[in-house]
Structures are given as C-alpha cells and as structure tokens.
Amino acid sequence: MVTNTRRTQRGESSLSRDRIIDTAIELLDASGEAGLTFRALAERLSTGAGAIYWHVADKDDLVGAACDAVVAATLAEAPAGAPAGEAIRAIGLGLFDALDRHPWIGAALMRSPGKMPMVRIMEGIGREVQALGVPPDALWTGASALLHYVLGVAGQNAANAQYARAHALVREDFLAEVAGQWSALDAHAFPFTRAAAARLPQHDDRADFLAGIDLIVAGIGAARPA
Amino acid sequence: MVTNTRRTQRGESSLSRDRIIDTAIELLDASGEAGLTFRALAERLSTGAGAIYWHVADKDDLVGAACDAVVAATLAEAPAGAPAGEAIRAIGLGLFDALDRHPWIGAALMRSPGKMPMVRIMEGIGREVQALGVPPDALWTGASALLHYVLGVAGQNAANAQYARAHALVREDFLAEVAGQWSALDAHAFPFTRAAAARLPQHDDRADFLAGIDLIVAGIGAARPA
DNA sequence: ACCTGAACACCGTTCAAGT
DNA sequence: ACCTGAACACCGTTCAAGT
C-alpha cells in the first residue's frame, strides 16, 4: 500500500510509514531477514525502537508491507497490451528478477496468504490466462497452476540466495557445492538426482523458469479442446 | 536420516537424536514454529536445554532433520509399480496430505535448498517423469516444473494452515474471511480476484491440486512431439 | 498526535563444571 | 562420552512519561 497522505509534508527526516518501509527494505536487502531488527531500524531512522510501533502494527505487518511495496512496483512495470503468452512471461520474469534482488520476498510471500502481495500476482496472472482464451472452468485451474509454479520457483530461488549469502558463497560456488553433494549420493537410490547434478552447474535459472512457464501454458492450451 | 545405531539400546528415557527429532515434530505439529523451543524441548525430554546440542548442531539442523523424517516417511508410502501418471499423482497427494498434518514443513522446505528433503521429492518426481517417456532434454524441464508447482502449493497450503491456526480459525471461516476481503477489492483493478472469490469457499484444495498436476503432465505430453 | 527509552518476557547458543 | 544449568547476547513488544 505505502501511501503517504500527510496533511503537511515534512522534511525527509520525519518519521512516516513509507520511510520506515523503505528503510526496512534496505535492511532486508543488505542482510536478509536476520538483518531487520527494530533496534537496527530505529538507529537508521535516528529514533527510538518504540516509535516505529506508532506507524506499524508489528514485525509481520512491516515485512508484509515491505513485500507488497516491492511486488506492486514490480507488477507495475509489466508492459501493457502485449499478447497473453508474452505478458505471462513478462510478469514471471519481472518477479523472478525482483526475487533475485530481494530474496527475503520468497519467505514473506508465504506468510501472508490471501493478502495483498499474493493477490496482486494472482490478479496479474489470472487476467493474462483469461486473455489466453480458455473456457471459464479451465481458467481457475490454469491460473492456479501458473501461480503456484511461480511461487515455487520464487521460494526455491530465495532459499538458494539466502543460503549462499549465509555461507558467503557466490552463485557458482553454491551450485558446485550442491552438484558435488548430489553426485555423492547413492547411485541406486538417487539416479535422477545424480543425473541432474551434471547439468546443474551450467544451467540457466531464468531460461529454465521460462521453459516451465511455456510448458504450463502449453498444458493450458492442450486442455482447451477437451 | 534419523537412524539410531547406538551400540547399546537404552530405555525410552535416554536422550538420542531420534528421540529429540520425534519430540520436535510433536511440538511443531502442536503449536507451529513458534512452539519449538530448546527450553520446551528440554522440558518435554526431562533434560537441560544445553544437552540437546550434543545431538543436534543448531535449530536449523533440528528443523531440517524433522522435515526430512516426515518427507522420507511420506515418500516411502508411495505405491511402487504404478503407471507414471498415477505415481506422480500419488506422490503429490502424499505430500499434500503430509503438509496438511505438518504445515511447518512448508517453510522448512524453503530453508534447505538442495538438501535431503528437497532431493527426495525431486528424485521421486523426476523418476516418474522419466517413466512418462519424455526425451532427455525435456526431462529436466518437466520434472522441474512439477517440482516447483508442488513446492508452491505446499508453501501456500502451509501458509493458510499457519494463518488459520494463529487466528484460531477453522478452514471454512478462514476461506470465508479471504473471500470477503477479495470481494471488497476495487472492481476495476481486481476483476479476476473478485471472480475467484466466488468460487473460493466451495473449492476443493486436493482436487484443484490434482488438476494442476494433470495440466502440467499434459503440458509435458504436448511438448513431446515438438 | 507523536516520540522516548527503559523494562519485560522471552529467545538460541555457549560453556565451565559435573558424572 | 554425555549431561547440567547458569550465563550471555540478543530479540519483539509494551508503556509510562514526555513534547
């Protein structure tokens, strides 16, 4: 939401919900969920820890608002008037990149079911699936499949980023580490995972993500005639 | 993992990694992530809080092990020798129901990327997609799409359950509350969400989940000839 | 109306000391 | 080898008191 309708505008230094949320995003980006503390926030805002509670209900409210601010800004960037298939890819990629910049969003999305950030994504995807021309009863299934796929990728990517940061690894080293662990698994019990380990280091997250979207869109199309 | 290879078996009352993990699962089931505390755990195990650290590295290790114990048991129940399509549905439904009983798993899965619980699910799904007869280069895309879809549903379901519990709502009341919020949204900005609100209270989570799996499997099939 | 900052009731984790 | 329990360094949140 992040609307600032103060009757008098004060200097940049005055406390407001917007300024709190923006600063919270900075802290979350810089050092993850563990980095967002009411004490750290208060220091950055040159105020007392308790003052923040005048503008924000609690930490859940704060993280939820921060998440929604990023999601809203991301979805607003999606190009209007594109063909449905392309628009879905654009929405997905926009979210994918936002997650990359703000990995804490992954966990935040899973903490506020049915609330604003999730609703925005659902609305964006649902509208485009509708534009795909699917019959009404297939609309919900298709939109829901796409939505949950996007959320699943979001969660995994966020987990990867957070883990890599916590262990001070760059992406390549992280993937190499995981590939190494997968390769060491029992050949009889984990044949697929061992095979997947081989293609892990070179794979392109974004390309794989888009391939998944195309696959689901193809599934929606395949269901149409039936 | 949860293997107990003590050289001497002691009474039920002795401390062991397995007993700690089982008790942790009880606490997590009973009162969510907030309910798992080293102090509460120590009391339930009639020991000191510090003793647990002899068997467990830290809280992440504990929750990860608890998650893996549940996931491993769930996947072990999947019927062997079923046709690929049915096997995928069985794996999915098994996880869906496990998530329903242990909603904390949703968040736990997103905290250990590439680790055991995730790998088990990937292996189970990947093997069945392979049995579907897809060409090698479509295998990864298909398995990855299914995996992320399942994880997305898992995360959302867990979020729903956790929210409902935190607010002391039964499922029906929770859905009614969300439907009410969606219906109150601006008609111009959220047409799809408002339409979705109407079908929300009656919808069947499990059926919708399976429909999504079928859709993705159909997408995998549609990609085969291309 | 808004802010201060001390205080409360917790956490996870460590570690000397025990057996 | 394994356990005890006090202690440390934090948290989110509250609330009397200020302006």
Side-chain angles (χ1 to χ4, degrees), chain B residues 158-191:
Chain B
N160 289 345
Q162 224 104 23
Y163 180 92
R165 167 157 52 198
H167 294 69
L169 293 170
V170 293
R171 187 189 131 78
E172 282 74 22
D173 295 337
F174 168 70
L175 289 180
E177 185 185 304
V178 172
Q181 289 165 356
W182 289 4
S183 303
L185 290 170
D186 178 68
H188 183 67
F190 295 96

PDB file of all heavy atoms in Angstrom, chain B residues 158-191:
ATOM      1  N   ALA B 158       0.613 -24.458   3.535  1.00  0.00           N
ATOM      2  CA  ALA B 158       1.206 -24.294   4.855  1.00  0.00           C
ATOM      3  C   ALA B 158       0.906 -22.904   5.402  1.00  0.00           C
ATOM      4  O   ALA B 158       0.560 -22.741   6.573  1.00  0.00           O
ATOM      5  CB  ALA B 158       2.703 -24.528   4.785  1.00  0.00           C
ATOM      6  N   ALA B 159       1.023 -21.906   4.544  1.00  0.00           N
ATOM      7  CA  ALA B 159       0.742 -20.538   4.976  1.00  0.00           C
ATOM      8  C   ALA B 159      -0.709 -20.416   5.427  1.00  0.00           C
ATOM      9  O   ALA B 159      -0.995 -19.815   6.463  1.00  0.00           O
ATOM     10  CB  ALA B 159       1.035 -19.560   3.844  1.00  0.00           C
ATOM     11  N   ASN B 160      -1.608 -21.001   4.665  1.00  0.00           N
ATOM     12  CA  ASN B 160      -3.023 -20.965   5.042  1.00  0.00           C
ATOM     13  C   ASN B 160      -3.239 -21.596   6.412  1.00  0.00           C
ATOM     14  O   ASN B 160      -3.900 -21.027   7.277  1.00  0.00           O
ATOM     15  CB  ASN B 160      -3.867 -21.714   4.011  1.00  0.00           C
ATOM     16  CG  ASN B 160      -3.956 -20.969   2.699  1.00  0.00           C
ATOM     17  OD1 ASN B 160      -3.625 -19.788   2.627  1.00  0.00           O
ATOM     18  ND2 ASN B 160      -4.401 -21.642   1.660  1.00  0.00           N
ATOM     19  N   ALA B 161      -2.693 -22.794   6.575  1.00  0.00           N
ATOM     20  CA  ALA B 161      -2.898 -23.519   7.830  1.00  0.00           C
ATOM     21  C   ALA B 161      -2.324 -22.737   9.001  1.00  0.00           C
ATOM     22  O   ALA B 161      -2.946 -22.624  10.059  1.00  0.00           O
ATOM     23  CB  ALA B 161      -2.254 -24.895   7.739  1.00  0.00           C
ATOM     24  N   GLN B 162      -1.132 -22.182   8.797  1.00  0.00           N
ATOM     25  CA  GLN B 162      -0.480 -21.444   9.880  1.00  0.00           C
ATOM     26  C   GLN B 162      -1.279 -20.188  10.241  1.00  0.00           C
ATOM     27  O   GLN B 162      -1.461 -19.877  11.418  1.00  0.00           O
ATOM     28  CB  GLN B 162       0.944 -21.058   9.459  1.00  0.00           C
ATOM     29  CG  GLN B 162       1.970 -21.286  10.543  1.00  0.00           C
ATOM     30  CD  GLN B 162       2.807 -22.526  10.287  1.00  0.00           C
ATOM     31  OE1 GLN B 162       2.922 -22.973   9.165  1.00  0.00           O
ATOM     32  NE2 GLN B 162       3.383 -23.079  11.340  1.00  0.00           N
ATOM     33  N   TYR B 163      -1.747 -19.505   9.219  1.00  0.00           N
ATOM     34  CA  TYR B 163      -2.523 -18.291   9.469  1.00  0.00           C
ATOM     35  C   TYR B 163      -3.818 -18.621  10.196  1.00  0.00           C
ATOM     36  O   TYR B 163      -4.193 -17.967  11.167  1.00  0.00           O
ATOM     37  CB  TYR B 163      -2.835 -17.586   8.149  1.00  0.00           C
ATOM     38  CG  TYR B 163      -3.643 -16.324   8.306  1.00  0.00           C
ATOM     39  CD1 TYR B 163      -3.020 -15.096   8.443  1.00  0.00           C
ATOM     40  CD2 TYR B 163      -5.039 -16.356   8.335  1.00  0.00           C
ATOM     41  CE1 TYR B 163      -3.754 -13.934   8.597  1.00  0.00           C
ATOM     42  CE2 TYR B 163      -5.783 -15.201   8.500  1.00  0.00           C
ATOM     43  CZ  TYR B 163      -5.132 -13.999   8.620  1.00  0.00           C
ATOM     44  OH  TYR B 163      -5.871 -12.852   8.781  1.00  0.00           O
ATOM     45  N   ALA B 164      -4.483 -19.680   9.725  1.00  0.00           N
ATOM     46  CA  ALA B 164      -5.745 -20.073  10.351  1.00  0.00           C
ATOM     47  C   ALA B 164      -5.531 -20.419  11.816  1.00  0.00           C
ATOM     48  O   ALA B 164      -6.297 -20.015  12.687  1.00  0.00           O
ATOM     49  CB  ALA B 164      -6.363 -21.254   9.598  1.00  0.00           C
ATOM     50  N   ARG B 165      -4.443 -21.158  12.085  1.00  0.00           N
ATOM     51  CA  ARG B 165      -4.189 -21.519  13.473  1.00  0.00           C
ATOM     52  C   ARG B 165      -3.864 -20.287  14.315  1.00  0.00           C
ATOM     53  O   ARG B 165      -4.376 -20.130  15.431  1.00  0.00           O
ATOM     54  CB  ARG B 165      -3.024 -22.505  13.569  1.00  0.00           C
ATOM     55  CG  ARG B 165      -2.549 -22.640  14.999  1.00  0.00           C
ATOM     56  CD  ARG B 165      -1.824 -23.922  15.278  1.00  0.00           C
ATOM     57  NE  ARG B 165      -0.761 -24.179  14.347  1.00  0.00           N
ATOM     58  CZ  ARG B 165      -0.217 -25.357  14.156  1.00  0.00           C
ATOM     59  NH1 ARG B 165      -0.684 -26.389  14.824  1.00  0.00           N
ATOM     60  NH2 ARG B 165       0.750 -25.526  13.302  1.00  0.00           N
ATOM     61  N   ALA B 166      -3.029 -19.419  13.765  1.00  0.00           N
ATOM     62  CA  ALA B 166      -2.630 -18.235  14.529  1.00  0.00           C
ATOM     63  C   ALA B 166      -3.834 -17.373  14.879  1.00  0.00           C
ATOM     64  O   ALA B 166      -3.853 -16.708  15.914  1.00  0.00           O
ATOM     65  CB  ALA B 166      -1.604 -17.431  13.740  1.00  0.00           C
ATOM     66  N   HIS B 167      -4.829 -17.384  14.011  1.00  0.00           N
ATOM     67  CA  HIS B 167      -6.013 -16.577  14.274  1.00  0.00           C
ATOM     68  C   HIS B 167      -7.170 -17.418  14.785  1.00  0.00           C
ATOM     69  O   HIS B 167      -8.313 -16.949  14.821  1.00  0.00           O
ATOM     70  CB  HIS B 167      -6.423 -15.820  13.006  1.00  0.00           C
ATOM     71  CG  HIS B 167      -5.413 -14.803  12.594  1.00  0.00           C
ATOM     72  ND1 HIS B 167      -4.171 -15.141  12.104  1.00  0.00           N
ATOM     73  CD2 HIS B 167      -5.432 -13.443  12.620  1.00  0.00           C
ATOM     74  CE1 HIS B 167      -3.494 -14.031  11.839  1.00  0.00           C
ATOM     75  NE2 HIS B 167      -4.231 -13.000  12.150  1.00  0.00           N
ATOM     76  N   ALA B 168      -6.879 -18.655  15.143  1.00  0.00           N
ATOM     77  CA  ALA B 168      -7.898 -19.536  15.733  1.00  0.00           C
ATOM     78  C   ALA B 168      -9.131 -19.661  14.852  1.00  0.00           C
ATOM     79  O   ALA B 168     -10.266 -19.541  15.310  1.00  0.00           O
ATOM     80  CB  ALA B 168      -8.265 -19.045  17.134  1.00  0.00           C
ATOM     81  N   LEU B 169      -8.883 -19.864  13.552  1.00  0.00           N
ATOM     82  CA  LEU B 169      -9.995 -20.009  12.614  1.00  0.00           C
ATOM     83  C   LEU B 169     -10.036 -21.443  12.078  1.00  0.00           C
ATOM     84  O   LEU B 169      -8.997 -22.048  11.860  1.00  0.00           O
ATOM     85  CB  LEU B 169      -9.818 -19.063  11.413  1.00  0.00           C
ATOM     86  CG  LEU B 169      -9.916 -17.561  11.682  1.00  0.00           C
ATOM     87  CD1 LEU B 169      -9.486 -16.780  10.446  1.00  0.00           C
ATOM     88  CD2 LEU B 169     -11.336 -17.199  12.077  1.00  0.00           C
ATOM     89  N   VAL B 170     -11.217 -21.966  11.872  1.00  0.00           N
ATOM     90  CA  VAL B 170     -11.318 -23.233  11.149  1.00  0.00           C
ATOM     91  C   VAL B 170     -11.281 -22.908   9.666  1.00  0.00           C
ATOM     92  O   VAL B 170     -11.475 -21.768   9.245  1.00  0.00           O
ATOM     93  CB  VAL B 170     -12.605 -24.005  11.498  1.00  0.00           C
ATOM     94  CG1 VAL B 170     -12.556 -24.455  12.946  1.00  0.00           C
ATOM     95  CG2 VAL B 170     -13.827 -23.187  11.223  1.00  0.00           C
ATOM     96  N   ARG B 171     -11.002 -23.935   8.878  1.00  0.00           N
ATOM     97  CA  ARG B 171     -10.817 -23.755   7.452  1.00  0.00           C
ATOM     98  C   ARG B 171     -11.946 -22.964   6.783  1.00  0.00           C
ATOM     99  O   ARG B 171     -11.690 -22.035   6.011  1.00  0.00           O
ATOM    100  CB  ARG B 171     -10.706 -25.147   6.811  1.00  0.00           C
ATOM    101  CG  ARG B 171     -10.344 -25.154   5.363  1.00  0.00           C
ATOM    102  CD  ARG B 171     -10.493 -26.567   4.792  1.00  0.00           C
ATOM    103  NE  ARG B 171     -11.264 -26.536   3.567  1.00  0.00           N
ATOM    104  CZ  ARG B 171     -10.771 -26.158   2.424  1.00  0.00           C
ATOM    105  NH1 ARG B 171      -9.530 -25.807   2.336  1.00  0.00           N
ATOM    106  NH2 ARG B 171     -11.535 -26.110   1.344  1.00  0.00           N
ATOM    107  N   GLU B 172     -13.173 -23.308   7.099  1.00  0.00           N
ATOM    108  CA  GLU B 172     -14.313 -22.639   6.452  1.00  0.00           C
ATOM    109  C   GLU B 172     -14.311 -21.139   6.757  1.00  0.00           C
ATOM    110  O   GLU B 172     -14.519 -20.317   5.864  1.00  0.00           O
ATOM    111  CB  GLU B 172     -15.641 -23.259   6.921  1.00  0.00           C
ATOM    112  CG  GLU B 172     -15.973 -24.586   6.270  1.00  0.00           C
ATOM    113  CD  GLU B 172     -15.107 -25.713   6.828  1.00  0.00           C
ATOM    114  OE1 GLU B 172     -14.580 -25.572   7.970  1.00  0.00           O
ATOM    115  OE2 GLU B 172     -14.905 -26.719   6.121  1.00  0.00           O
ATOM    116  N   ASP B 173     -14.074 -20.810   8.005  1.00  0.00           N
ATOM    117  CA  ASP B 173     -14.094 -19.406   8.386  1.00  0.00           C
ATOM    118  C   ASP B 173     -12.938 -18.652   7.745  1.00  0.00           C
ATOM    119  O   ASP B 173     -13.080 -17.494   7.352  1.00  0.00           O
ATOM    120  CB  ASP B 173     -14.019 -19.275   9.915  1.00  0.00           C
ATOM    121  CG  ASP B 173     -15.252 -19.870  10.580  1.00  0.00           C
ATOM    122  OD1 ASP B 173     -16.293 -19.960   9.900  1.00  0.00           O
ATOM    123  OD2 ASP B 173     -15.168 -20.264  11.749  1.00  0.00           O
ATOM    124  N   PHE B 174     -11.791 -19.339   7.640  1.00  0.00           N
ATOM    125  CA  PHE B 174     -10.646 -18.695   7.005  1.00  0.00           C
ATOM    126  C   PHE B 174     -10.949 -18.377   5.536  1.00  0.00           C
ATOM    127  O   PHE B 174     -10.722 -17.260   5.069  1.00  0.00           O
ATOM    128  CB  PHE B 174      -9.416 -19.595   7.109  1.00  0.00           C
ATOM    129  CG  PHE B 174      -8.272 -19.158   6.252  1.00  0.00           C
ATOM    130  CD1 PHE B 174      -7.571 -18.007   6.555  1.00  0.00           C
ATOM    131  CD2 PHE B 174      -7.927 -19.886   5.118  1.00  0.00           C
ATOM    132  CE1 PHE B 174      -6.521 -17.589   5.751  1.00  0.00           C
ATOM    133  CE2 PHE B 174      -6.879 -19.471   4.313  1.00  0.00           C
ATOM    134  CZ  PHE B 174      -6.188 -18.324   4.629  1.00  0.00           C
ATOM    135  N   LEU B 175     -11.466 -19.374   4.813  1.00  0.00           N
ATOM    136  CA  LEU B 175     -11.792 -19.158   3.403  1.00  0.00           C
ATOM    137  C   LEU B 175     -12.849 -18.071   3.252  1.00  0.00           C
ATOM    138  O   LEU B 175     -12.779 -17.239   2.344  1.00  0.00           O
ATOM    139  CB  LEU B 175     -12.282 -20.464   2.769  1.00  0.00           C
ATOM    140  CG  LEU B 175     -11.215 -21.534   2.572  1.00  0.00           C
ATOM    141  CD1 LEU B 175     -11.813 -22.777   1.931  1.00  0.00           C
ATOM    142  CD2 LEU B 175     -10.078 -21.005   1.712  1.00  0.00           C
ATOM    143  N   ALA B 176     -13.817 -18.081   4.148  1.00  0.00           N
ATOM    144  CA  ALA B 176     -14.867 -17.065   4.087  1.00  0.00           C
ATOM    145  C   ALA B 176     -14.275 -15.674   4.315  1.00  0.00           C
ATOM    146  O   ALA B 176     -14.662 -14.704   3.649  1.00  0.00           O
ATOM    147  CB  ALA B 176     -15.943 -17.359   5.123  1.00  0.00           C
ATOM    148  N   GLU B 177     -13.324 -15.588   5.227  1.00  0.00           N
ATOM    149  CA  GLU B 177     -12.699 -14.293   5.502  1.00  0.00           C
ATOM    150  C   GLU B 177     -11.941 -13.787   4.279  1.00  0.00           C
ATOM    151  O   GLU B 177     -12.080 -12.625   3.878  1.00  0.00           O
ATOM    152  CB  GLU B 177     -11.747 -14.440   6.692  1.00  0.00           C
ATOM    153  CG  GLU B 177     -11.129 -13.122   7.130  1.00  0.00           C
ATOM    154  CD  GLU B 177     -10.086 -13.328   8.239  1.00  0.00           C
ATOM    155  OE1 GLU B 177     -10.439 -13.903   9.269  1.00  0.00           O
ATOM    156  OE2 GLU B 177      -8.928 -12.920   8.030  1.00  0.00           O
ATOM    157  N   VAL B 178     -11.139 -14.694   3.669  1.00  0.00           N
ATOM    158  CA  VAL B 178     -10.386 -14.298   2.480  1.00  0.00           C
ATOM    159  C   VAL B 178     -11.342 -13.928   1.343  1.00  0.00           C
ATOM    160  O   VAL B 178     -11.148 -12.919   0.659  1.00  0.00           O
ATOM    161  CB  VAL B 178      -9.447 -15.438   2.036  1.00  0.00           C
ATOM    162  CG1 VAL B 178      -8.808 -15.103   0.702  1.00  0.00           C
ATOM    163  CG2 VAL B 178      -8.381 -15.670   3.094  1.00  0.00           C
ATOM    164  N   ALA B 179     -12.368 -14.738   1.166  1.00  0.00           N
ATOM    165  CA  ALA B 179     -13.338 -14.440   0.098  1.00  0.00           C
ATOM    166  C   ALA B 179     -13.966 -13.070   0.321  1.00  0.00           C
ATOM    167  O   ALA B 179     -14.170 -12.300  -0.633  1.00  0.00           O
ATOM    168  CB  ALA B 179     -14.408 -15.529   0.058  1.00  0.00           C
ATOM    169  N   GLY B 180     -14.248 -12.757   1.570  1.00  0.00           N
ATOM    170  CA  GLY B 180     -14.823 -11.458   1.883  1.00  0.00           C
ATOM    171  C   GLY B 180     -13.884 -10.322   1.533  1.00  0.00           C
ATOM    172  O   GLY B 180     -14.282  -9.320   0.938  1.00  0.00           O
ATOM    173  N   GLN B 181     -12.600 -10.518   1.843  1.00  0.00           N
ATOM    174  CA  GLN B 181     -11.619  -9.475   1.531  1.00  0.00           C
ATOM    175  C   GLN B 181     -11.474  -9.295   0.015  1.00  0.00           C
ATOM    176  O   GLN B 181     -11.385  -8.185  -0.492  1.00  0.00           O
ATOM    177  CB  GLN B 181     -10.266  -9.833   2.146  1.00  0.00           C
ATOM    178  CG  GLN B 181     -10.237  -9.710   3.670  1.00  0.00           C
ATOM    179  CD  GLN B 181      -9.035 -10.414   4.281  1.00  0.00           C
ATOM    180  OE1 GLN B 181      -8.261 -11.057   3.577  1.00  0.00           O
ATOM    181  NE2 GLN B 181      -8.886 -10.299   5.590  1.00  0.00           N
ATOM    182  N   TRP B 182     -11.452 -10.410  -0.693  1.00  0.00           N
ATOM    183  CA  TRP B 182     -11.311 -10.338  -2.148  1.00  0.00           C
ATOM    184  C   TRP B 182     -12.518  -9.654  -2.793  1.00  0.00           C
ATOM    185  O   TRP B 182     -12.378  -8.890  -3.743  1.00  0.00           O
ATOM    186  CB  TRP B 182     -11.133 -11.744  -2.740  1.00  0.00           C
ATOM    187  CG  TRP B 182      -9.816 -12.352  -2.445  1.00  0.00           C
ATOM    188  CD1 TRP B 182      -8.821 -11.838  -1.660  1.00  0.00           C
ATOM    189  CD2 TRP B 182      -9.317 -13.609  -2.911  1.00  0.00           C
ATOM    190  NE1 TRP B 182      -7.748 -12.690  -1.608  1.00  0.00           N
ATOM    191  CE2 TRP B 182      -8.020 -13.781  -2.362  1.00  0.00           C
ATOM    192  CE3 TRP B 182      -9.830 -14.612  -3.739  1.00  0.00           C
ATOM    193  CZ2 TRP B 182      -7.242 -14.906  -2.627  1.00  0.00           C
ATOM    194  CZ3 TRP B 182      -9.058 -15.746  -4.001  1.00  0.00           C
ATOM    195  CH2 TRP B 182      -7.781 -15.879  -3.448  1.00  0.00           C
ATOM    196  N   SER B 183     -13.698  -9.938  -2.269  1.00  0.00           N
ATOM    197  CA  SER B 183     -14.918  -9.349  -2.831  1.00  0.00           C
ATOM    198  C   SER B 183     -14.961  -7.846  -2.622  1.00  0.00           C
ATOM    199  O   SER B 183     -15.614  -7.119  -3.367  1.00  0.00           O
ATOM    200  CB  SER B 183     -16.154  -9.972  -2.183  1.00  0.00           C
ATOM    201  OG  SER B 183     -16.153 -11.373  -2.357  1.00  0.00           O
ATOM    202  N   ALA B 184     -14.261  -7.391  -1.588  1.00  0.00           N
ATOM    203  CA  ALA B 184     -14.294  -5.963  -1.268  1.00  0.00           C
ATOM    204  C   ALA B 184     -13.279  -5.166  -2.075  1.00  0.00           C
ATOM    205  O   ALA B 184     -13.220  -3.944  -1.966  1.00  0.00           O
ATOM    206  CB  ALA B 184     -14.038  -5.768   0.229  1.00  0.00           C
ATOM    207  N   LEU B 185     -12.503  -5.844  -2.922  1.00  0.00           N
ATOM    208  CA  LEU B 185     -11.484  -5.144  -3.703  1.00  0.00           C
ATOM    209  C   LEU B 185     -12.120  -4.312  -4.813  1.00  0.00           C
ATOM    210  O   LEU B 185     -13.260  -4.543  -5.216  1.00  0.00           O
ATOM    211  CB  LEU B 185     -10.507  -6.155  -4.313  1.00  0.00           C
ATOM    212  CG  LEU B 185      -9.580  -6.861  -3.329  1.00  0.00           C
ATOM    213  CD1 LEU B 185      -8.847  -8.004  -4.022  1.00  0.00           C
ATOM    214  CD2 LEU B 185      -8.587  -5.871  -2.733  1.00  0.00           C
ATOM    215  N   ASP B 186     -11.348  -3.362  -5.303  1.00  0.00           N
ATOM    216  CA  ASP B 186     -11.829  -2.489  -6.369  1.00  0.00           C
ATOM    217  C   ASP B 186     -12.146  -3.300  -7.627  1.00  0.00           C
ATOM    218  O   ASP B 186     -11.325  -4.090  -8.095  1.00  0.00           O
ATOM    219  CB  ASP B 186     -10.745  -1.454  -6.676  1.00  0.00           C
ATOM    220  CG  ASP B 186     -11.156  -0.539  -7.806  1.00  0.00           C
ATOM    221  OD1 ASP B 186     -12.094   0.255  -7.612  1.00  0.00           O
ATOM    222  OD2 ASP B 186     -10.559  -0.647  -8.887  1.00  0.00           O
ATOM    223  N   ALA B 187     -13.334  -3.094  -8.165  1.00  0.00           N
ATOM    224  CA  ALA B 187     -13.814  -3.901  -9.301  1.00  0.00           C
ATOM    225  C   ALA B 187     -12.985  -3.646 -10.563  1.00  0.00           C
ATOM    226  O   ALA B 187     -12.780  -4.549 -11.380  1.00  0.00           O
ATOM    227  CB  ALA B 187     -15.284  -3.606  -9.571  1.00  0.00           C
ATOM    228  N   HIS B 188     -12.495  -2.448 -10.717  1.00  0.00           N
ATOM    229  CA  HIS B 188     -11.734  -2.133 -11.915  1.00  0.00           C
ATOM    230  C   HIS B 188     -10.318  -2.709 -11.859  1.00  0.00           C
ATOM    231  O   HIS B 188      -9.804  -3.225 -12.853  1.00  0.00           O
ATOM    232  CB  HIS B 188     -11.664  -0.613 -12.095  1.00  0.00           C
ATOM    233  CG  HIS B 188     -10.954  -0.202 -13.351  1.00  0.00           C
ATOM    234  ND1 HIS B 188     -11.467  -0.465 -14.610  1.00  0.00           N
ATOM    235  CD2 HIS B 188      -9.769   0.426 -13.545  1.00  0.00           C
ATOM    236  CE1 HIS B 188     -10.618   0.000 -15.519  1.00  0.00           C
ATOM    237  NE2 HIS B 188      -9.581   0.542 -14.905  1.00  0.00           N
ATOM    238  N   ALA B 189      -9.714  -2.654 -10.691  1.00  0.00           N
ATOM    239  CA  ALA B 189      -8.320  -3.083 -10.553  1.00  0.00           C
ATOM    240  C   ALA B 189      -8.179  -4.591 -10.342  1.00  0.00           C
ATOM    241  O   ALA B 189      -7.160  -5.176 -10.708  1.00  0.00           O
ATOM    242  CB  ALA B 189      -7.654  -2.327  -9.408  1.00  0.00           C
ATOM    243  N   PHE B 190      -9.192  -5.234  -9.770  1.00  0.00           N
ATOM    244  CA  PHE B 190      -9.064  -6.654  -9.429  1.00  0.00           C
ATOM    245  C   PHE B 190     -10.238  -7.513  -9.901  1.00  0.00           C
ATOM    246  O   PHE B 190     -10.843  -8.228  -9.100  1.00  0.00           O
ATOM    247  CB  PHE B 190      -8.892  -6.802  -7.907  1.00  0.00           C
ATOM    248  CG  PHE B 190      -7.626  -6.200  -7.373  1.00  0.00           C
ATOM    249  CD1 PHE B 190      -7.612  -4.918  -6.847  1.00  0.00           C
ATOM    250  CD2 PHE B 190      -6.428  -6.918  -7.414  1.00  0.00           C
ATOM    251  CE1 PHE B 190      -6.443  -4.361  -6.358  1.00  0.00           C
ATOM    252  CE2 PHE B 190      -5.256  -6.366  -6.927  1.00  0.00           C
ATOM    253  CZ  PHE B 190      -5.263  -5.091  -6.396  1.00  0.00           C
ATOM    254  N   PRO B 191     -10.524  -7.481 -11.195  1.00  0.00           N
ATOM    255  CA  PRO B 191     -11.679  -8.260 -11.681  1.00  0.00           C
ATOM    256  C   PRO B 191     -11.488  -9.766 -11.511  1.00  0.00           C
ATOM    257  O   PRO B 191     -12.404 -10.470 -11.091  1.00  0.00           O
ATOM    258  CB  PRO B 191     -11.762  -7.872 -13.164  1.00  0.00           C
ATOM    259  CG  PRO B 191     -10.384  -7.405 -13.503  1.00  0.00           C
ATOM    260  CD  PRO B 191      -9.871  -6.737 -12.271  1.00  0.00           C
TER     261      PRO B 191
END
